[in-house]
Amino acid sequence: MDSPCLFDHPFFSADSHWQAEGWYVEQGGAVVTCGGGAAVRHQDGLWLIDTELRLLLINQPDMVLSLSYAMEEPQEGEPDCFWSADSVPAGSLNGRISVVGDALVSVGFSDDGTHGLTETMILTDDDTYESRGLITKEGDVIGRWAVTLTAVS
């Protein structure tokens, strides 16, 4: 990538699907296995991304964290753009995603500033990203994750 932009990243390819596997650390420090995925589609000048991460909890029902993003399709060559999302458990979020070389860096907050979301996705090959992120509530980290995203044919 000579001059990286959002269009350069395979994650944003129309109708792409990604499988996620890794681990999640809850606020109390418990580490649990997680899995899920992401689906990307382009529609009416928007990039729409639906994500789901299922936490495989011990001795209780699994918990599902979901996030549905909408981004206006950026101009060709643009390295960043704004996004809005609805999430469980943080509610509505707004943020910005930027390309930094082989990485996507995203930061967002709820309208009232109570919740925050930070994520970095590093492209390791054309079909794989390493995602690291955390979610905060009132400045305290309430969850963090390390997930590998693999393209699904």
Side-chain angles (χ1 to χ4, degrees):
M1 282 184 245
D2 296 326
S3 178
C5 70
L6 292 168
F7 281 97
D8 292 330
H9 277 269
F11 182 78
F12 294 115
S13 298
D15 299 319
S16 63
H17 291 82
W18 299 83
Q19 179 178 340
E21 293 183 13
W23 52 265
Y24 184 90
V25 180
E26 297 176 302
Q27 186 174 16
V31 179
V32 296
T33 302
C34 64
V40 180
R41 60 190 198 286
H42 297 182
Q43 179 180 322
D44 300 326
L46 296 173
W47 289 359
L48 304 171
I49 305 164
D50 293 312
T51 66
E52 181 177 286
L53 196 59
R54 180 174 299 278
L55 310 182
L56 307 176
L57 304 176
I58 300 169
N59 298 325
Q60 52 186 313
D62 294 347
M63 176 187 282
V64 176
L65 305 175
S66 64
L67 195 64
S68 294
Y69 291 91
M71 302 176 359
E72 285 191 25
E73 183 173 320
Q75 298 294 315
E76 182 70 43
E78 285 294 319
D80 51 33
C81 73
F82 290 102
W83 55 261
S84 60
D86 289 317
S87 77
V88 172
S92 295
L93 301 167
N94 294 289
R96 186 173 190 94
I97 188 165
S98 296
V99 175
V100 182
D102 61 354
L104 300 169
V105 178
S106 184
V107 176
F109 295 94
S110 59
D111 289 338
D112 65 3
T114 301
H115 287 91
L117 176 73
T118 303
E119 183 174 28
T120 299
M121 294 171 52
I122 299 172
L123 180 66
T124 58
D125 63 47
D126 287 344
D127 296 327
T128 309
Y129 282 90
E130 292 295 330
S131 170
R132 305 295 183 261
L134 57 90
I135 189 165
T136 60
K137 182 177 181 181
E138 298 175 350
D140 293 325
V141 176
I142 60 172
R144 59 192 70 164
W145 62 88
V147 172
T148 300
L149 292 161
T150 306
V152 178
S153 312

